[in-house]
Amino acid sequence: MSLRCLIALGAVLLLSAPAGAGGMIMYGPGTIVDSASLPREIKPPEYLAEKLDPFSFDASLKRLPVLVLDGATLSISATSASGSGYFGAENISVSKMVLKNGAKIVTNGVNLIVNASEFEWDNASIVSFDDRISGNGIDRLSGRSGGTVLLNAIDVNPRSLLTVDLSGQPGEPGQEGAPGSPGAQGLNGEPALEELLNCRRSGKPGSPGGQGGPGGPGGRGGDGGNGGYLVLRGPISAFRAEILFTSNGGQGGAGGHGGRGGPGGRGGRGGNGSHFCSGGKDGPSGSDGVDGPPGSNGAIGEPGSIRAELE
């Protein structure tokens, strides 16, 4: 039966008729593809391994396309993750997954399940976050956790170490404290007094301005996200030594700077002079308020872990 070739958005899609009966999906060097745009036939709505025995599960996978990331990056989208199945995740099921030439899967902290009858990697990585990609999670002060990745593969062919880094995001810095309020203006001096043609009293000086109010304390830094979990299910669990796993808790965000102390108040105006009397001097400005204390740093996230599930 002849093959149809569809080239779109940097991907090469080879499907034999009928659709979903195999073929190849390939993304080349430099391509960044969102998981929401992956063909539906490799994104089952439910977690098949929970419903099928191992033999039937493998047979069902072999009818699906091959997914090749050749120097490409696959970004997992929170909007495409399914709420059903093992733990509510993005499910990708293929007959074979190939990651090579710097290929990368970025989970953005979204839980991910990969089901593959065959899994081959060479110079590839799976990471929770990537500075080049803004994930679809909600922006918040605390860092996002690394999420969980489950790799369920039967025939595994590692050609190098697979780097898996599911470290949590660092927390964001705390906000700067509110500035202090301005000091009160000093009182005006009393005006001069005259008696007939003589000066009885010159104008009195104004009083000093009040000290500025203290700055507010800095905001607390956001907590670092927890490290994620890697689950190796089935025969791939025997290849633990071929996986370089890291899952540190994210660093807590730095506490915000204390707010600046408020400016000192203006001195009071000197008392008015008269024809025979001089006016008083203006009072000095008040001193600035003290700066507020810095905020506390956010907590470091908890580290993640790796585990094997033989069945």
Side-chain angles (χ1 to χ4, degrees):
M1 187 174 295
S2 62
L3 298 180
R4 293 183 292 115
C5 180
L6 173 63
I7 302 177
L9 299 178
V12 177
L13 175 63
L14 299 176
L15 293 177
S16 59
M24 178 179 290
I25 305 164
M26 178 181 291
Y27 297 94
T31 302
I32 299 178
V33 59
D34 193 292
S35 64
S37 65
L38 291 175
R40 295 181 60 183
E41 59 263 33
I42 68 171
K43 297 171 61 178
E46 297 179 348
Y47 188 48
L48 299 178
E50 295 290 324
K51 298 180 176 295
L52 300 175
D53 61 82
F55 180 81
S56 299
F57 179 57
D58 187 34
S60 67
L61 290 176
K62 288 181 177 178
R63 293 193 295 267
L64 297 174
V66 175
L67 177 60
V68 179
L69 300 182
D70 183 0
T73 298
L74 173 61
S75 175
I76 305 303
S77 170
T79 58
S80 65
S82 169
S84 63
Y86 188 51
F87 43 33
E90 173 70 288
N91 300 327
I92 298 176
S93 295
V94 292
S95 60
K96 182 177 182 179
M97 174 170 281
V98 180
L99 307 178
K100 62 182 181 178
N101 296 327
K104 181 183 292 186
I105 297 177
V106 183
T107 70
N108 297 303
V110 178
N111 295 334
L112 171 66
I113 297 171
V114 175
N115 299 312
S117 178
E118 299 179 51
F119 193 0
E120 177 183 319
W121 65 75
D122 186 10
N123 184 24
S125 60
I126 300 174
V127 300
S128 48
F129 303 102
D130 189 314
D131 291 340
R132 298 178 305 156
I133 298 172
S134 58
N136 294 324
I138 300 174
D139 291 334
R140 53 188 178 182
L141 189 61
S142 295
R144 286 176 289 171
S145 295
T148 298
V149 173
L150 187 151
L151 301 179
N152 185 9
I154 299 169
D155 185 5
V156 181
N157 183 16
R159 299 181 181 274
S160 65
L161 287 176
L162 175 65
T163 300
V164 179
D165 187 346
L166 302 182
S167 297
Q169 268 188 328
E172 296 179 10
Q175 294 184 341
E176 183 174 338
S181 58
Q185 183 173 347
L187 298 176
N188 295 333
E190 295 181 12
L193 291 177
E194 289 185 358
E195 188 177 70
L196 298 177
L197 299 179
N198 296 315
C199 177
R200 183 176 176 181
R201 186 192 70 198
S202 298
K204 290 189 174 183
S207 64
Q211 183 180 13
R220 183 179 183 274
D223 294 337
N226 294 331
Y229 299 92
L230 177 62
V231 181
L232 303 177
R233 172 170 283 189
I236 194 175
S237 60
F239 293 84
R240 170 64 183 90
E242 307 300 325
I243 298 175
L244 181 61
F245 178 71
T246 305
S247 185
N248 298 319
Q251 290 294 317
H257 296 293
R260 296 288 301 272
R266 293 177 56 185
R269 299 187 62 178
N272 293 330
S274 65
H275 184 71
F276 295 102
C277 297
S278 61
K281 294 182 178 181
D282 293 341
S285 297
S287 59
D288 292 340
V290 297
D291 293 340
S296 57
N297 295 334
I300 299 175
E302 296 293 329
S305 63
I306 182 173
R307 75 172 189 268
E309 293 182 358
L310 299 181
E311 295 183 359

